Amino acid sequence: MSTTTENEQLAYIASQAADARVNVEVETDEGMTLNLGPQHPATHGTLRIIAKLDGEKVVTAEPIMGYMHRGYEKLTEVRTYPQVTTLINRIDWLGSFANEVPFILAAEQLMEVEAPPRAQWIRTILFELSRIANVCLFLGDMAVQVGATTPVFYAFRDREFVLNQIERVTGGRFHPNFDRIGGLKDDLPKGWIEETRGALERMKSFCDEMEELVLGNEIFQARTRNIGVIPGDVALSYGLSGANLRASGVDWDIRRDANVGLVYDQVDWKVWTHPDGDSFARFWVRLQETREACNIIDQLLGSIPSGPIMAKVPRIIKVPAGEAYVATENPLGEMGYYVVSKGDLTPFRVKIRSASFSNMSITPWILKDVFVPDIISILASLYFILGDIDR
Amino acid sequence: MAEIPEHLLKRAQAARENAETNQPTSDQAPSETIEADSAVAVIEEEIPETDERAEEILNQILEGLGETVLTSHIAPGRGLWIRVSSDNWRQTAEFLKDELDCKFFDWLSVIDWMPSPYGRELETEQDIEPEQDTNEPEQMEWGYTGGDTRFQLICRLYSISNAAGIMIKADLDDQSPRVLSLIPVYPGANWHEREAREMFGVTFDEHPDLRNIYLPGDFEGHPLRKDYPLLSRRMKPWPGIVDVEAMPGEEK
Amino acid sequence: MRGEKEYLNGLKSSSYKGKHMGLVESGKMPKSLTKLLNMSRRYSMWVYQWGLACCAIEMGAAFASPRYDVMRLGVIPLPASPRQADFLVVSGTVTDKMAPAVRRLWEQMPDPKYVISMGSCANCGGPYWDSYSVTKGVDQIIPVDVYVPGCPPRPEALLEGIVLLQERIMNEDMAERWRGDPIVVE
């Protein structure tokens, strides 16, 4: 390298960084470029962020995605409707069952089929169980990102009880592929309701534990209070949804305001909002929502109606021509499928509106002028899953 | 394609016949098989044939935008679609944001209405029905609100105060699809437009940064266009469900 | 001084390999010593977890949860850097955009290094076999020692994969490994 000048070397290093091959810090006259990811220990999954720093302050931060892009929207066009559910399980892999529901509901709308009440009840219960399984890990992981290691072990420990219950019904811990057009694949196994109540007790005590362990912690509060504040109207114009939106004081929940096909109107529950819009508020809202999910499941378990679990649908499913958009309030926010059918075995076009993609699109705005350690806590509090961003 | 054993073809034939006989008829509506229950009665409401709220909103839109709305469609209980020309794309979004309180930017995408030149690319012979002649080129058909061109832009905006989602569609030019960016109205449109550019090759004018969002920078082609082939399928089609060994009790 | 000169000449000549570098490299390892070394290697492994997709969560359950507890197998998760790791678990979908990073990560690890490919995606592309952006199998870019099937595999399956890898290490002739040609993946 003796023949090259220092500037050439810097340019070389910068180009290497741009090629996503190394984690590198480059210092120039204008400031420092910090490259987080895609294999940095402090990042989630494989998200990569290039931050230009001025001292400890972030001047611009640019997320680079696509390391997990699998081309779902193209693949759905060459798969039949039942095959698509297998695939879309894997978009948000922490709450897999919740991914199937909006797609199935959209197809049901086009076929003008409605699932029997028992199926709708069980769907809602499984939907909320997958919310717990998903958000539970967030509660542990958020604490890890601000420096506490223990809570994530608790999260993994108690999450197993919920996964066991999902597995007992669907046969899959992770990817149930249980939802069918017109109902569900199977009924509940014997004794499941009582066991689920036991698991819910466990989750409730987990929520209490997290509240004592994390929420009141002085360091946690110092790292999250007034950090990454998103006002409500900014959140709306960026398309933030779910707990991120409600933590900014916008009282909107699809489960309550635009419910399709699930039985949230049969239970007495509350939508939690927080006026602050900071990282702390996002954690708080998600913690309350986990409790609320336990509450919803508790009520639904006591009132499951009897009856069949499948409506009459033809064995080979052909969806009539038309367009439908159904969104549900998934653990990460609004997830919807815009299904265009031409009366064929396969969808003509499926647009997947995934929550994390819109939630993360605010990062260049929110990471402006924050300090470097806050990058991690803000990203953790926005809560994204790479598969849900990149699809 | 590998040859499919006869017993599988027979099984597929039986399945097809079975499905045909099981077609739901009008007097066999699924709701009739359900026990009547007080809690059940609430969710068994018929889907309304007309949707007054959507019509009210559509009237407001027509009053405000007038001639620029080319066509509209209401699916009762499911949503409201309007189609504008691509020149009025940004004005429509501005109008909906200001007048109808559509502050929530939901998503933006493109539909390529051209039928796939590769057919349906289904994996098994069983899935393809023999009576359908796949050689005949399919005509381009548009969905709700019709269309004129191959690429159609679609965007969904949501109004929380009205509890209504509105789909806007706009036809784009076949040769050089381009439209004004929505970023000044909704900053959240940024990534959605980058994705649409990458997947369909639609240019968004006044967009600050139209690089690829998912694929590597030197990726060739626009994958979500219908004429983009899935090469794995083209090179070596999956032979379908073919048992290597006959199952016990089955004749090979 | 003469000895040093000879030593340096020996280094320069092509035949230095295996001559001056110790018992392992010279291929003169006593069997019992090999066994002892292998046993200590097999029960003290640092694993670098390269979580990519769904499988990463099951890997997390295996590595970070008290129920599955990978440390009882003598495997220590969460090293600070791949340069400290003995084996790598590639769990999840490897895309064409990510593949160079996976390769670079593997290159950073010191020899002897092993790779476990976890899940259908890393094994062969899995449900994305026809995708335009997914690498069909991580073994196209790095050599894989153990494949763990499943979509995603249960944590128990990953533990079984680790046990298989440990058996492989136990039966390995280290001298053989050193004498062999360097591993090249096209």
Side-chain angles (χ1 to χ4, degrees), chain B residues 32 54 77 92 99 101 105 114 124 143 159 168 199 213 229 236 246:
Chain B
E32 284 195 2
T92 311
E99 305 298 323
D101 200 29
F105 178 80
M114 189 179 86
T124 57
S159 159
I168 325 170
M199 294 294 165
I213 188 164
K236 179 180 171 296

Side-chain angles (χ1 to χ4, degrees), chain C residues 63-85:
Chain C
F63 287 174
S65 92
R67 176 175 289 198
Y68 299 106
D69 185 20
V70 77
M71 286 203 201
R72 69 202 152 110
L73 301 177
V75 171
I76 310 163
L78 311 168
S81 141
R83 291 178 208 281
Q84 297 171 348

Side-chain angles (χ1 to χ4, degrees), chain B residues 51-63 74 80 100 162:
Chain B
D51 195 333
E52 283 173 12
R53 231 183 47 234
E55 273 169 22
E56 202 178 291
I57 290 167
L58 179 60
N59 282 337
Q60 280 187 42
I61 294 172
L62 290 176
E63 267 172 38
I74 293 176
L80 164 65
L100 277 161
N162 294 324

Side-chain angles (χ1 to χ4, degrees), chain A residues 62 65-66 74 77 109 120 237 239-240 306 323 325 334 338 342 344-345 348-349 353 389 391, chain B residues 78 81 104-107 109-110 120 127 143-144 156 169 188 195 211 213-214 223 225-226 228:
Chain A
E62 186 195 357
M65 298 93 66
K74 185 78 176 176
E77 289 171 12
Q109 270 194 357
Q120 296 189 6
S237 66
L240 259 65
S306 58
E323 297 170 37
Y325 178 71
E334 177 187 341
Y338 189 79
K342 282 195 168 179
D344 231 332
L345 291 163
F348 182 73
R349 164 110 172 87
R353 194 271 184 210
I389 299 179
R391 299 190 296 263
Chain B
R78 296 211 276 116
W81 282 260
F104 184 68
F105 178 80
D106 211 344
W107 50 266
S109 190
V110 179
R120 288 176 300 178
D127 291 336
Y144 297 160
R156 187 174 194 264
K169 285 181 175 179
E195 190 194 357
R211 280 173 309 152
I213 188 164
Y214 288 143
R225 284 190 175 187
K226 286 281 177 188
Y228 183 91

Side-chain angles (χ1 to χ4, degrees), chain B residues 2 16 25 31 37 48 61 64-65 83 91 109 124 133 160 162 164 169-170 173 204 220 223 230 233 238 250:
Chain B
R16 258 199 302 278
T25 48
S31 56
D37 193 294
I61 294 172
L65 290 173
R83 183 159 71 94
Q91 287 93 310
S109 190
T124 57
D133 185 13
I160 289 176
N162 294 324
K169 285 181 175 179
D173 187 50
F204 290 89
E220 282 173 25
L230 285 173
R233 280 175 186 266
W238 190 52
E250 262 181 347

Side-chain angles (χ1 to χ4, degrees), chain C residues 58-183:
Chain C
E58 287 295 59
M59 185 179 63
F63 287 174
S65 92
R67 176 175 289 198
Y68 299 106
D69 185 20
V70 77
M71 286 203 201
R72 69 202 152 110
L73 301 177
V75 171
I76 310 163
L78 311 168
S81 141
R83 291 178 208 281
Q84 297 171 348
D86 294 305
F87 77 99
L88 169 75
V89 178
V90 182
S91 57
T93 322
V94 182
T95 57
D96 291 347
K97 194 170 178 179
M98 182 54 97
V102 176
R103 171 82 193 185
R104 175 162 292 249
L105 192 91
W106 178 79
E107 280 168 356
Q108 284 175 7
M109 289 169 61
D111 252 340
K113 55 191 169 188
Y114 306 91
V115 178
I116 291 182
S117 154
M118 180 188 184
S120 300
C121 295
N123 292 349
C124 63
Y128 316 108
W129 64 276
D130 51 350
S131 169
Y132 52 83
S133 59
V134 172
T135 309
K136 279 90 189 169
V138 73
D139 49 7
Q140 293 180 32
I141 41 173
I142 54 176
V144 175
D145 294 278
V146 177
Y147 297 88
V148 181
C151 189
R154 295 181 63 96
E156 293 96 326
L158 177 60
L159 298 188
E160 172 73 15
I162 292 174
V163 170
L164 283 175
L165 180 66
Q166 286 177 334
E167 273 170 22
R168 185 180 177 146
I169 293 173
M170 189 63 205
N171 298 325
E172 200 173 56
D173 183 353
M174 285 172 78
E176 185 74 30
R177 192 182 166 99
W178 251 263
R179 274 201 306 272
D181 293 326
I183 301 163

